[in-house]
Amino acid sequence: GHTVRRHNPNGCDICNRTGYYGRTLLLEALIIEGNDAMRNELYKTLMTNTAEIVHLPGVVLYARGDNIRKLVQEGYIDARAGLLQLE
């Protein structure tokens, strides 16, 4: 796994006294599981109404806003930075 670094208010020489080193990605992911029949249904939905994809069995959406909130709650990113990303 990857290490997510927390904010260091004191900073250091490596981070140029910003308190941040490295990057945290704020992603949106669509996870698709299932058999060929389920994937065929997904393909049909993609061709007709993409908004309905998240309602299909075997599909899980990890929304960007939800991920930002989780990173803030767990202390991985500063709340002010999270609010800026949500705007």
Side-chain angles (χ1 to χ4, degrees):
H2 298 284
T3 300
V4 177
R5 302 191 193 315
R6 295 175 184 260
H7 177 252
N8 174 358
N10 300 319
C12 65
D13 291 336
I14 294 172
C15 69
N16 200 26
R17 303 281 169 214
T18 63
Y20 293 96
Y21 176 72
R23 296 180 183 256
T24 301
L25 297 176
L26 300 174
L27 302 175
E28 193 161 65
L30 186 66
I31 308 299
I32 302 165
E33 299 175 352
N35 57 30
D36 289 342
M38 292 170 77
R39 290 181 183 275
N40 190 40
E41 188 62 31
L42 174 70
Y43 177 77
K44 288 180 190 175
T45 304
L46 277 171
M47 296 297 117
T48 57
N49 187 357
T50 57
E52 291 299 314
I53 291 172
V54 295
H55 302 296
L56 293 178
V59 175
V60 178
L61 172 66
Y62 293 96
R64 189 169 179 264
D66 294 339
N67 290 335
I68 291 171
R69 283 189 263 301
K70 184 176 180 182
L71 289 170
V72 169
Q73 287 171 346
E74 293 180 4
Y76 290 121
I77 63 172
D78 182 70
R80 290 170 293 176
L83 286 173
L84 288 173
Q85 290 296 322
L86 286 171
E87 288 178 353

